[in-house]
PDB file of all heavy atoms in Angstrom:
ATOM      1  N   ILE X 507      -9.938  -0.042 -30.929  1.00 96.00           N
ATOM      2  CA  ILE X 507      -9.611  -1.215 -30.101  1.00 96.00           C
ATOM      3  C   ILE X 507     -10.879  -2.067 -29.928  1.00 96.00           C
ATOM      4  O   ILE X 507     -10.838  -3.302 -29.981  1.00 96.00           O
ATOM      5  CB  ILE X 507      -9.045  -0.805 -28.715  1.00 96.00           C
ATOM      6  CG1 ILE X 507      -7.764   0.037 -28.853  1.00 96.00           C
ATOM      7  CG2 ILE X 507      -8.835  -2.019 -27.802  1.00 96.00           C
ATOM      8  CD1 ILE X 507      -6.486  -0.701 -29.090  1.00 96.00           C
ATOM      9  N   GLY X 508     -12.032  -1.398 -29.757  1.00 96.00           N
ATOM     10  CA  GLY X 508     -13.316  -2.095 -29.627  1.00 96.00           C
ATOM     11  C   GLY X 508     -13.606  -2.951 -30.842  1.00 96.00           C
ATOM     12  O   GLY X 508     -14.047  -4.107 -30.722  1.00 96.00           O
ATOM     13  N   ASP X 509     -13.358  -2.402 -32.040  1.00 96.00           N
ATOM     14  CA  ASP X 509     -13.553  -3.153 -33.290  1.00 96.00           C
ATOM     15  C   ASP X 509     -12.671  -4.397 -33.337  1.00 96.00           C
ATOM     16  O   ASP X 509     -13.088  -5.470 -33.772  1.00 96.00           O
ATOM     17  CB  ASP X 509     -13.220  -2.268 -34.511  1.00 96.00           C
ATOM     18  CG  ASP X 509     -14.355  -1.306 -34.825  1.00 96.00           C
ATOM     19  OD1 ASP X 509     -15.466  -1.524 -34.294  1.00 96.00           O
ATOM     20  OD2 ASP X 509     -14.129  -0.333 -35.576  1.00 96.00           O
ATOM     21  N   MET X 510     -11.414  -4.252 -32.867  1.00 97.00           N
ATOM     22  CA  MET X 510     -10.475  -5.383 -32.859  1.00 97.00           C
ATOM     23  C   MET X 510     -10.966  -6.487 -31.918  1.00 97.00           C
ATOM     24  O   MET X 510     -10.817  -7.673 -32.199  1.00 97.00           O
ATOM     25  CB  MET X 510      -9.081  -4.907 -32.422  1.00 97.00           C
ATOM     26  CG  MET X 510      -8.414  -3.992 -33.440  1.00 97.00           C
ATOM     27  SD  MET X 510      -6.823  -3.382 -32.864  1.00 97.00           S
ATOM     28  CE  MET X 510      -5.757  -4.754 -33.288  1.00 97.00           C
ATOM     29  N   ILE X 511     -11.574  -6.078 -30.771  1.00 96.00           N
ATOM     30  CA  ILE X 511     -12.111  -7.058 -29.816  1.00 96.00           C
ATOM     31  C   ILE X 511     -13.269  -7.826 -30.455  1.00 96.00           C
ATOM     32  O   ILE X 511     -13.337  -9.054 -30.384  1.00 96.00           O
ATOM     33  CB  ILE X 511     -12.568  -6.369 -28.501  1.00 96.00           C
ATOM     34  CG1 ILE X 511     -11.359  -5.783 -27.761  1.00 96.00           C
ATOM     35  CG2 ILE X 511     -13.319  -7.343 -27.596  1.00 96.00           C
ATOM     36  CD1 ILE X 511     -11.698  -4.853 -26.605  1.00 96.00           C
ATOM     37  N   VAL X 512     -14.162  -7.085 -31.133  1.00 96.00           N
ATOM     38  CA  VAL X 512     -15.327  -7.714 -31.786  1.00 96.00           C
ATOM     39  C   VAL X 512     -14.870  -8.679 -32.889  1.00 96.00           C
ATOM     40  O   VAL X 512     -15.444  -9.755 -33.068  1.00 96.00           O
ATOM     41  CB  VAL X 512     -16.278  -6.627 -32.362  1.00 96.00           C
ATOM     42  CG1 VAL X 512     -17.369  -7.242 -33.213  1.00 96.00           C
ATOM     43  CG2 VAL X 512     -16.895  -5.808 -31.225  1.00 96.00           C
ATOM     44  N   ARG X 513     -13.773  -8.308 -33.601  1.00 96.00           N
ATOM     45  CA  ARG X 513     -13.256  -9.158 -34.682  1.00 96.00           C
ATOM     46  C   ARG X 513     -12.413 -10.324 -34.143  1.00 96.00           C
ATOM     47  O   ARG X 513     -11.830 -11.074 -34.916  1.00 96.00           O
ATOM     48  CB  ARG X 513     -12.412  -8.332 -35.663  1.00 96.00           C
ATOM     49  CG  ARG X 513     -13.200  -7.323 -36.479  1.00 96.00           C
ATOM     50  CD  ARG X 513     -12.401  -6.877 -37.708  1.00 96.00           C
ATOM     51  NE  ARG X 513     -11.083  -6.360 -37.368  1.00 96.00           N
ATOM     52  CZ  ARG X 513     -10.832  -5.074 -37.081  1.00 96.00           C
ATOM     53  NH1 ARG X 513     -11.824  -4.175 -37.090  1.00 96.00           N
ATOM     54  NH2 ARG X 513      -9.612  -4.684 -36.797  1.00 96.00           N
ATOM     55  N   LYS X 514     -12.322 -10.440 -32.809  1.00 94.00           N
ATOM     56  CA  LYS X 514     -11.572 -11.507 -32.121  1.00 94.00           C
ATOM     57  C   LYS X 514     -10.097 -11.519 -32.518  1.00 94.00           C
ATOM     58  O   LYS X 514      -9.482 -12.583 -32.682  1.00 94.00           O
ATOM     59  CB  LYS X 514     -12.194 -12.891 -32.402  1.00 94.00           C
ATOM     60  CG  LYS X 514     -13.643 -12.999 -31.966  1.00 94.00           C
ATOM     61  CD  LYS X 514     -14.183 -14.395 -32.187  1.00 94.00           C
ATOM     62  CE  LYS X 514     -15.659 -14.475 -31.815  1.00 94.00           C
ATOM     63  NZ  LYS X 514     -16.248 -15.784 -31.987  1.00 94.00           N
ATOM     64  N   GLU X 515      -9.519 -10.322 -32.664  1.00 95.00           N
ATOM     65  CA  GLU X 515      -8.090 -10.256 -33.001  1.00 95.00           C
ATOM     66  C   GLU X 515      -7.266 -10.681 -31.796  1.00 95.00           C
ATOM     67  O   GLU X 515      -7.672 -10.476 -30.650  1.00 95.00           O
ATOM     68  CB  GLU X 515      -7.730  -8.835 -33.456  1.00 95.00           C
ATOM     69  CG  GLU X 515      -8.413  -8.469 -34.761  1.00 95.00           C
ATOM     70  CD  GLU X 515      -7.594  -7.528 -35.628  1.00 95.00           C
ATOM     71  OE1 GLU X 515      -6.373  -7.436 -35.410  1.00 95.00           O
ATOM     72  OE2 GLU X 515      -8.201  -6.872 -36.495  1.00 95.00           O
ATOM     73  N   PRO X 516      -6.080 -11.297 -32.011  1.00 95.00           N
ATOM     74  CA  PRO X 516      -5.284 -11.799 -30.878  1.00 95.00           C
ATOM     75  C   PRO X 516      -4.805 -10.657 -29.962  1.00 95.00           C
ATOM     76  O   PRO X 516      -4.625  -9.520 -30.418  1.00 95.00           O
ATOM     77  CB  PRO X 516      -4.099 -12.509 -31.553  1.00 95.00           C
ATOM     78  CG  PRO X 516      -4.065 -11.994 -32.947  1.00 95.00           C
ATOM     79  CD  PRO X 516      -5.456 -11.600 -33.311  1.00 95.00           C
TER      80      PRO X 516
END
Side-chain angles (χ1 to χ4, degrees):
I507 301 279
D509 282 345
M510 292 177 83
I511 294 169
V512 172
R513 292 198 305 271
K514 301 183 183 181
E515 294 212 19

